[in-house]
Amino acid sequence: MSGLSWLPLAPFVTSLGFGLLLLWPAGRKVRVALSFVGTLATLAFAAGLLLATADGTVLVSELGGWRAPFGIVMTADRLAAWMSLLAALSALLAVWQAAADPDPVREKYHLFALMQFLFAGVQLSFLTGDLFNLFVAFEVMLVASYALTVLGSTREQLREGFRYIVMNLAASSLLVVSCGLAYGVLGTLNFAHLAQRAATLGPNATVTSVAVLLLIVFAAKGALFPLGFWLPGTYPALPPAVGTFFAAVLTKVGVYALIRVFTTVFTQEPELPHSLLLLLGSVTMLYGAFGMVSQREWRPILSFTVIGSVGYLAFGLGVGTPEAVRASVAYLAVSVVVTTALFAIATVAERATGTRLVRARGMLEFLPLLAACFLLCALTVAGLPPSGGYVAKYALVRAGLAQGSPLALLAVVSALVGSLVTLYAMLNVWRGFFWGKHPTWLPVYRVSRPLHAAAYAASALVAGLTLFAGPIFAQAGATAAELSIPQRYIRGVLGDQPVVIPPAPTGKETRP
Amino acid sequence: MEALFSILIGLLVAAGVFLLLSRKIVRVVLGLSFIGYAGNLAILTVAGLRQDNPPLLTLPGPYMDPLPQALILTAIVIGFATTALLLTVALRAYQVSGHDNVAAFGDNLARDPHTGEGRSADPEHQGPDLPDLIHSDPEEPERPGGQP
């Protein structure tokens, strides 16, 4: 390959390296500076990946110099680079929030280092080209997330953390079993090689059942409806900066894995997984929307927006046409950015009133700029016209209508109802927190300026979604086009020659 | 041989799920390890149970496929690490709540009639002096049926 073949490894290695560096006992300023440098470097590498894959190249790093189906490879196509960039952006804002919000006890127990390890795991899961390595990447990410979930060991964190850990360990063992089954059926674990073998095997019930098993695992990671019960409890229990990154990115890792598996790898019998995704997606959209209405505290409400957004992504993937995949890829960007912004806003709002409840009323008077940011994000989440969310949701609904199967129509109806209910829930927050007259008995605390700034920066990115909807959709369209022809990815990873597995040695060769 | 292994894996998963559904934290942890072992055996089984030579090229063939064993090795290492982490969390929860019962994981971990208000099980290992993030609602109603 070209001279850039080291690049897919770079974001992971950078985060991991800076995570190790941050274990060194140093002052707070040094740690904050190191965190920023590490995250900015990851962001730069991710941007480099996006540029390098912009012409459709599939970059491959071969670990240990072994060729693709035999060794472990890191690969980056447009989708992986896109996700890597989004995760790095969200990571930068999370580090910003952590830096703006001193937390001496948690920092003493390596909050910054654990965050870098989490970023490393996330980058590894986006850039790996191997099913078993995806399991390892999930574990790297999840172990860091377990530690961050219970770091500080408040009662709420322990309670929710235990539930989160048990749920994810069960899902992980299912992932190991599906890796084993995939290897048993197809004899390989490399994504490209799996796709090639599945294509030569043709429609096959065993392969489809492995694919559905993987769907269940990734649905649990991505919090699709029946498997997402842990999410609304866990995310509000986290410290704010960590919660921002968890909410914005961790479920998207599951969605990324779903997209990868169902557009690149197992494409032979798409009807069953697609209908499952549509069905689960429809229920998830409604569950997320009605869950939002049921909550009265900031971050539980926002956690349900995370669940809802996963439903929209599953909807796009379940429709399965290139237009729908394009809309899903664009909505991924919307969802990551807007969730980051909303959680950053929630942090400021909670700090300013000293309560988690959305009941202050009249905060418009004290925090006018924050109110404007919240309104922008609320419109984006609900998908109303002057926002990037509208463009993406419109594309999703249009793709669903164009496909026109009964399940797709059901999902379109759920998407519309879900958006309406989301709008209602968001307006409720607006009415309860910003509108009206402030009661005099409720104190308003000063919130540090950098924490405000983090919320504004994230909201600026949300505004950027609208302003740069054209380029984002162009990128998403190119990604979807690339995903609709898995042969490109396969050829990029395995090369033009068919993979020839040499016959097993008989042992006589080395005998004297 | 494969049939025997399948039955064994089924039994392990059944025992694991049974333990996972129990109320004691330690039993939940044990249940997860059982499920993990079942997963490892499943990889070994689907990849083929053969009594060939180990993959050492100095021995006469035919050879075993070494990859499933490498996968299991990785899965075992990761499984150990996560089980240890889960046990540590369970221990911390026990120190804070005073019993290893998931029922105590209701909405108020430490407010249990038997341990008394705010008293943790292990005075040697108090939590770091972190407040719970922000209390959700100061005038939270008392749990119905809780002893005063």
Side-chain angles (χ1 to χ4, degrees):
Chain A
M1 291 295 289
S2 62
L4 282 175
S5 66
W6 52 273
L7 202 53
L9 203 53
F12 165 65
V13 171
T14 314
S15 296
L16 192 67
F18 275 90
L20 290 172
L21 262 182
L22 280 163
L23 290 174
W24 193 261
R28 181 165 201 274
K29 275 184 188 156
V30 180
R31 284 190 182 177
V32 168
L34 275 178
S35 294
F36 267 113
V37 172
T39 319
L40 279 172
T42 313
L43 186 63
F45 285 130
L49 273 178
L50 197 67
L51 288 180
T53 55
D55 56 349
T57 324
V58 179
L59 288 176
V60 180
S61 292
E62 293 160 349
L63 300 192
W66 288 88
R67 275 209 52 215
F70 306 110
I72 295 171
V73 288
M74 304 283 287
T75 55
D77 60 345
R78 283 198 184 103
L79 178 67
W82 184 233
M83 293 306 296
S84 170
L85 183 75
L86 289 176
L89 263 181
S90 181
L92 184 64
L93 284 159
V95 167
W96 186 340
Q97 257 188 293
D101 183 24
D103 187 345
V105 179
R106 288 199 177 91
E107 276 162 25
K108 191 175 139 204
Y109 293 103
H110 300 297
L111 176 74
F112 286 121
L114 283 169
M115 282 174 82
Q116 291 293 328
F117 289 138
L118 181 66
F119 304 155
V122 169
Q123 295 288 349
L124 183 61
S125 8
F126 290 145
L127 295 171
T128 181
D130 187 296
L131 190 58
F132 195 78
N133 210 20
L134 183 70
F135 161 71
V136 175
F138 272 180
E139 290 304 310
V140 171
M141 173 182 96
L142 286 172
V143 167
S145 78
Y146 302 154
L148 282 169
T149 315
V150 295
L151 189 67
S153 51
T154 64
R155 283 169 206 144
E156 189 188 4
Q157 278 187 306
L158 282 172
R159 181 180 77 221
E160 299 300 337
F162 193 78
R163 191 182 299 172
Y164 174 72
I165 296 175
V166 169
M167 172 67 205
N168 274 303
L169 283 184
S172 292
S173 24
L174 205 56
L175 180 53
V176 175
V177 173
S178 4
C179 284
L181 287 172
Y183 184 73
V185 181
L186 297 167
T188 179
L189 285 166
N190 185 285
F191 283 146
H193 202 200
L194 274 173
Q196 203 177 43
R197 286 275 179 101
T200 35
L201 210 59
N204 180 310
T206 322
V207 175
T208 310
S209 56
V210 172
V212 171
L213 205 58
L214 284 172
L215 188 148
I216 295 170
V217 174
F218 298 143
K221 307 274 180 209
L224 273 177
F225 166 61
L227 302 165
F229 60 87
W230 47 271
L231 192 147
T234 308
Y235 287 2
L238 295 161
V242 178
T244 304
F245 185 77
F246 268 54
V249 175
L250 287 205
T251 53
K252 308 301 177 296
V253 177
V255 175
Y256 164 80
L258 281 175
I259 297 180
R260 175 60 75 216
V261 163
F262 289 109
T263 58
T264 311
V265 184
F266 298 121
T267 49
Q268 294 304 310
E269 260 185 314
E271 295 81 20
L272 178 63
H274 279 182
S275 7
L276 268 176
L277 278 171
L278 276 177
L279 203 62
L280 293 183
S282 318
V283 184
T284 310
M285 286 183 265
L286 293 178
Y287 174 62
F290 285 103
M292 260 181 265
V293 182
S294 75
Q295 298 294 323
R296 287 162 58 230
E297 296 177 11
W298 269 102
R299 282 193 284 166
I301 296 176
L302 300 185
S303 301
F304 275 106
T305 66
V306 177
I307 293 187
S309 72
V310 175
Y312 287 98
L313 294 167
F315 164 35
L317 187 57
V319 171
T321 55
E323 292 79 45
V325 175
R326 183 184 71 148
S328 261
V329 172
Y331 194 73
L332 269 170
V334 172
S335 173
V336 168
V337 172
V338 83
T339 311
T340 309
L342 275 172
F343 271 74
I345 290 172
T347 309
V348 179
E350 284 180 353
R351 289 293 160 81
T353 55
T355 165
R356 285 179 174 187
L357 284 171
V358 185
R359 61 161 184 194
R361 301 183 82 80
M363 293 301 281
L364 186 59
E365 192 183 330
F366 303 98
L367 304 165
L369 195 51
L370 195 76
C373 291
F374 176 77
L375 199 61
L376 177 67
C377 295
L379 290 180
T380 309
V381 163
L384 279 188
S387 68
Y390 166 71
V391 191
K393 273 195 185 174
Y394 175 72
L396 271 177
V397 168
R398 216 173 74 148
L401 287 177
Q403 200 237 16
S405 70
L407 267 177
L409 293 181
L410 172 77
V412 167
V413 173
S414 312
L416 294 177
V417 173
S419 300
L420 201 65
V421 177
T422 306
L423 180 66
Y424 170 73
M426 283 291 144
L427 286 182
N428 247 350
V429 175
W430 171 263
R431 209 170 45 107
F433 193 80
F434 292 109
W435 203 244
K437 191 164 160 38
H438 188 74
T440 42
W441 53 270
L442 207 69
V444 177
Y445 301 101
R446 275 191 57 83
V447 183
S448 74
R449 204 171 285 256
L451 210 55
H452 272 290
Y456 299 150
S459 307
L461 284 179
V462 177
L465 288 176
T466 317
L467 298 178
F468 299 103
I472 289 175
F473 261 79
Q475 168 71 19
T479 309
E482 187 176 286
L483 288 175
S484 65
I485 317 167
Q487 283 76 21
R488 283 190 63 112
Y489 179 84
I490 297 170
R491 216 179 308 127
V493 176
L494 297 180
D496 292 326
Q497 308 296 325
V499 177
V500 181
I501 296 180
T506 56
K508 300 204 172 67
E509 297 90 333
T510 51
R511 285 217 278 178
Chain B
M1 194 70 169
E2 271 88 356
L4 201 65
F5 261 68
S6 312
I7 294 170
L8 178 65
I9 292 166
L11 283 176
L12 274 174
V13 171
V17 171
F18 175 73
L19 287 171
L20 200 60
L21 295 177
S22 97
R23 294 162 76 90
K24 298 273 182 201
I25 293 177
V26 178
R27 290 169 66 123
V28 172
V29 176
L30 280 179
L32 277 172
S33 359
F34 272 152
I35 293 178
Y37 292 139
N40 294 343
L41 283 179
I43 297 182
L44 202 62
T45 315
V46 278
L49 294 168
R50 291 168 50 192
Q51 292 182 317
D52 294 337
N53 269 328
L56 293 174
L57 293 185
T58 45
L59 295 173
Y63 298 103
M64 281 293 292
D65 183 356
L67 196 75
Q69 296 172 25
L71 298 187
I72 292 171
L73 186 63
T74 316
I76 288 176
V77 172
I78 291 176
F80 268 140
T82 46
T83 309
L85 198 139
L86 184 61
L87 273 172
T88 316
V89 173
L91 182 69
R92 199 76 191 82
Y94 170 69
Q95 285 168 351
V96 171
S97 73
H99 37 91
D100 69 335
N101 194 331
V102 199
F105 278 35
D107 281 334
N108 28 19
L109 197 55
R111 247 175 276 156
D112 182 85
H114 303 295
T115 47
E117 182 72 26
R119 184 149 54 87
S120 63
D122 190 351
E124 297 282 307
H125 295 92
Q126 295 290 343
D129 296 311
L130 272 181
D132 275 1
L133 286 172
I134 300 167
H135 284 293
S136 55
D137 200 348
E139 60 272 358
E140 195 178 328
E142 278 297 314
R143 195 162 53 135
Q147 306 276 316

